[in-house]
Amino acid sequence: MMITQALEAQPNILEDISEEIIFPLSDLYSDEPPVETELHLEQIMLLIKSLKWLWKERTDFYAVGNLSIYYSPNQKKSEYFRGPDFFVVLGTERKTRKSWVVWEENGKYPNLIIEILSPTTAKTDRGTKKELYQDIFRTPEYFLFDPYTLEFAGFYLIHGKYQPVELNEKGHLWSEELGLYLGIFQGLLRYFTPEGTLVPTPEESAEMEAEKSQRLAAKLRELNIDPDTI
């Protein structure tokens, strides 16, 4: 009763208290809206699962999409957060997170960011977000891709400013951070090895292994060897 009377006597006390709250570790949920289209979702998931499959033995990275990055110097959820469509952080623990909270991650920001353009976000991706990733995040590599027009561009952070990168003869852009190329394949942005080979998804890898087994079985039958007996 006394507590209630005290709060009623000081109506601003709750507001003052809430402004001073420092959220506990791992208690910041992502605050990002749903992706715009099914194609945007497919593209983001493709970037995530193919990189995780390629790096399945690694435990020193975090790759995710459409997740909030909280970077408030006051360690507050209510200010300074932004959610890239896809980003990778290197040199960190590979684990599930509710969001990326910079002050809980030793001050780390993404090493690479990819934004998937749409008519409603393209201006922001080319302007406000680009400036944020350049000036605050200091993210070394920033890429833009439009799955409808197939516009593809990349920028490297050089002397504190993003400089555009030229596509190579295959239409690919090199990512020094990933040690991979990025390029368009069948209308979607994909990874390619330094030798130019497409980085497969888990499903594509399984399909390739099945086709390889079928070819081997056919060759054995040509030699009058029953593959089922081997």
Side-chain angles (χ1 to χ4, degrees):
M1 186 66 176
M2 295 179 61
I3 294 176
T4 302
Q5 292 174 344
L7 291 177
E8 290 176 348
Q10 301 182 59
N12 295 325
I13 191 170
L14 289 177
E15 181 178 347
D16 293 340
I17 292 173
S18 65
E19 289 180 353
E20 295 301 318
I21 291 176
I22 301 300
F23 285 81
L25 293 179
S26 304
D27 199 30
L28 297 183
Y29 283 87
S30 180
D31 196 28
E32 294 310 300
V35 293
E36 295 217 354
T37 68
E38 182 180 354
L39 187 56
H40 281 73
L41 177 60
E42 181 182 355
Q43 176 63 84
I44 293 170
M45 293 305 299
L46 181 59
L47 290 169
I48 295 171
K49 69 180 180 180
S50 55
L51 186 65
K52 286 185 174 181
W53 178 247
L54 178 68
W55 288 356
K56 54 185 175 292
E57 304 300 329
R58 290 180 56 169
T59 60
D60 62 345
F61 75 98
Y62 184 60
V64 73
N66 200 43
L67 195 81
S68 294
I69 297 173
Y70 291 95
Y71 59 100
S72 165
N74 299 312
Q75 298 187 10
K76 291 183 178 180
K77 178 183 179 180
S78 59
E79 61 181 14
Y80 303 120
F81 62 92
R82 179 66 78 173
D85 288 327
F86 173 78
F87 66 90
V88 179
V89 183
L90 302 175
T92 190
E93 184 181 358
R94 183 176 180 175
K95 65 179 182 179
T96 300
R97 294 169 170 86
K98 299 174 183 176
S99 60
W100 184 265
V101 185
V102 170
W103 61 86
E104 293 178 7
E105 304 285 355
N106 299 315
K108 283 183 175 291
Y109 285 90
N111 293 74
L112 172 145
I113 290 175
I114 300 175
E115 291 289 0
I116 312 302
L117 300 177
S118 71
T120 59
T121 65
K123 183 177 180 181
T124 300
D125 292 335
R126 295 191 183 100
T128 305
K129 281 190 173 182
K130 183 181 175 185
E131 292 177 2
L132 172 68
Y133 302 154
Q134 170 188 273
D135 300 333
I136 304 300
F137 287 17
R138 315 296 290 169
T139 295
E141 297 176 353
Y142 179 42
F143 297 93
L144 300 170
F145 175 65
D146 189 322
Y148 291 97
T149 67
L150 301 187
E151 174 188 350
F152 178 41
F155 303 88
Y156 293 163
L157 191 66
I158 301 175
H159 302 304
K161 297 295 180 182
Y162 276 138
Q163 302 298 329
V165 186
E166 291 188 9
L167 299 171
N168 67 10
E169 66 281 359
K170 294 182 179 180
H172 297 172
L173 292 176
W174 176 250
S175 169
E176 187 67 34
E177 297 297 308
L178 302 182
L180 298 168
Y181 282 105
L182 286 163
I184 301 170
F185 178 76
Q186 296 182 344
L188 291 170
L189 193 63
R190 301 290 300 266
Y191 306 109
F192 296 83
T193 67
E195 296 74 33
T197 303
L198 179 70
V199 173
T201 63
E203 296 82 4
E204 289 168 339
S205 293
E207 185 177 343
M208 287 188 290
E209 284 299 317
E211 291 175 352
K212 182 179 177 181
S213 296
Q214 291 171 3
R215 290 195 299 269
L216 177 58
K219 186 64 176 179
L220 289 172
R221 290 190 182 98
E222 289 177 4
L223 300 173
N224 294 319
I225 300 173
D226 185 353
D228 296 329
T229 62
I230 298 177

